[in-house]
Amino acid sequence: MPLPWLEPLYQRLAQSYSQQRFHHAQLFNGDIGVGKRELVDMLADALLCSNAHNLIACGKCKSCQLNRANTHPDKRVVKAEGQTIGVDEVREITDFINHSSAQNGNKVVVLEHSHKMTTAAANALLKTLEEPSLNRYLLLTCEQLALLPATILSRCAVHEVKVNPSLAKKWLGEFNIPHYSWLELFVEQPMLIEHWYNEKQLDSIDSLYKFATELKDSDNFSALVEILSKDSTLINVFVLFLTEHLKEKLVLGMDFFSYQKAQQAIAEFLYNSSHVLGLNMSLAISKLAFSLRESQN
Ligand SMILES: [Zn+2]
């Protein structure tokens, strides 16, 4: 079954499939951690299954076995390993689509992080989208619709993937996740929480939260630097904590000019950490702490 908050969307997709209105290119847009990957994986399995019911794979046929082993010759997954998805990766997709299927059925391409396609890659993909072929499906995920050209969007069925917080909370309740006050900030990204839980990262993130609230008063950042250097995706989390803490201070009476200055320092830190190659994290954090101190004196 799909994740609980994805059920209405999944039912709509299943209905369109049974009525033969299922678009050959489906684009799923939404924040990190809403369950886009789980959704497209489930769809891909169903499209390849020889005995699917209501667009749910049977789990038993040859195709399902191949999918479970991640070795289905009629499925291709492309995702951004680095910052971008280039034209060569998209050409591979086109080649794959153009060849006949191994199992004499559907062929499915999953293209994750499609917002990371370069302009050349997007142009190459456009050709495939313009000339749809029978039994070929393209499932795209995207985190920022605005980064994709309108020409691509107009050739896909675009879906917003949203999380119902109460369903997500109920679903997360099945895990034994310890309580942290900041978890509330991520309740609409339940797969992110699940990922941190599985990877045993919740304690590190709790430390990030504490660092964010005490940053301007501390001078030893080595533990913080270690956490951020190990997993750069946590920089965004740290920045979110800093921003939330600042908002709280504004409510508690911080003057707006200081607020703006502090916010600027945080924005600069975020920009540098994603744009400066070989950034000295220790130095960047010291600088940020200094700016926060300055702005609040
Ligand atoms: Zn099956």
Side-chain angles (χ1 to χ4, degrees):
M1 290 306 285
L3 291 159
W5 56 91
L6 299 178
E7 269 174 33
L9 170 60
Y10 208 88
Q11 272 167 20
R12 283 200 299 279
L13 291 164
Q15 199 171 30
S16 71
Y17 191 74
S18 68
Q19 296 170 346
Q20 292 169 351
R21 291 186 292 108
F22 192 82
H23 201 283
H24 71 282
Q26 305 273 357
L27 174 70
F28 300 96
N29 182 56
D31 214 344
I32 298 172
V34 296
K36 300 185 297 296
R37 178 177 302 152
E38 289 72 14
L39 178 69
V40 291
D41 274 346
M42 207 173 154
L43 274 176
D45 287 357
L47 289 167
L48 293 167
C49 171
S50 52
N51 199 18
H53 183 66
N54 279 339
L55 211 53
I56 306 271
C58 77
K60 292 175 200 144
C61 70
K62 176 93 188 293
S63 275
C64 284
Q65 284 170 16
L66 289 167
N67 270 327
R68 204 168 309 124
N70 278 326
T71 53
H72 204 302
D74 294 327
K75 180 185 178 187
R76 183 65 53 93
V77 179
V78 176
K79 52 188 155 193
E81 301 294 349
Q83 291 288 328
T84 56
I85 295 176
V87 66
D88 289 339
E89 284 151 291
V90 171
R91 288 216 179 98
E92 256 183 56
I93 295 178
T94 317
D95 275 356
F96 173 76
I97 291 240
N98 288 338
H99 284 87
S100 57
S101 70
Q103 300 276 318
N104 284 327
N106 292 335
K107 285 184 97 168
V108 180
V109 172
V110 172
L111 177 56
E112 288 188 48
H113 321 114
S114 64
H115 56 286
K116 290 189 174 178
M117 277 189 291
T118 61
T119 308
N123 284 334
L125 184 69
L126 204 53
K127 289 213 181 72
T128 306
L129 293 174
E130 277 167 345
E131 300 156 11
S133 25
L134 202 64
N135 300 58
R136 300 290 183 269
Y137 296 98
L138 199 58
L139 308 174
L140 301 96
T141 70
C142 168
E143 277 147 32
Q144 255 181 296
L145 222 44
L147 294 178
L148 280 173
T151 43
I152 294 272
L153 296 179
S154 67
R155 283 163 181 85
C156 298
V158 180
H159 311 274
E160 288 296 326
V161 183
K162 290 225 163 69
V163 173
N164 173 324
S166 61
L167 290 179
K169 273 187 194 166
K170 200 169 157 225
W171 181 79
L172 285 167
E174 318 249 312
F175 304 88
N176 276 321
I177 298 176
H179 178 77
Y180 299 103
S181 61
W182 49 265
L183 277 178
E184 192 66 33
L185 292 169
F186 300 98
V187 75
E188 288 182 39
Q189 295 169 283
M191 307 316 288
L192 198 54
I193 297 180
E194 191 218 17
H195 170 76
W196 292 334
Y197 174 71
N198 288 338
E199 299 295 314
K200 300 189 169 46
Q201 280 183 300
L202 289 167
D203 281 343
S204 299
I205 295 164
D206 193 47
S207 306
L208 284 187
Y209 181 72
K210 289 187 183 120
F211 273 117
T213 49
E214 292 157 11
L215 191 69
K216 85 178 174 60
D217 306 311
S218 38
D219 46 21
N220 183 357
F221 309 116
S222 56
L224 173 61
V225 170
E226 200 188 315
I227 296 173
L228 295 180
S229 307
K230 233 189 251 168
D231 182 351
S232 63
T233 64
L234 294 183
I235 292 171
N236 286 315
V237 175
F238 180 58
V239 164
L240 176 72
F241 287 155
L242 287 167
T243 313
E244 286 296 317
H245 179 60
L246 204 57
K247 272 195 233 161
E248 269 168 38
K249 297 196 94 170
L250 185 66
V251 173
L252 292 175
M254 180 186 200
D255 75 279
F256 196 68
F257 180 68
S258 309
Y259 172 77
Q260 275 183 316
K261 264 175 68 179
Q263 217 180 24
Q264 212 171 357
I266 295 171
E268 198 178 319
F269 169 73
L270 180 63
Y271 180 86
N272 287 340
S273 51
S274 55
H275 287 81
V276 178
L277 269 174
L279 176 81
N280 182 329
M281 185 54 81
S282 180
L283 207 63
I285 287 169
S286 305
K287 201 177 149 212
L288 174 63
F290 179 77
S291 304
L292 291 178
R293 255 195 301 276
E294 286 271 283
S295 71
Q296 289 166 52
N297 278 337

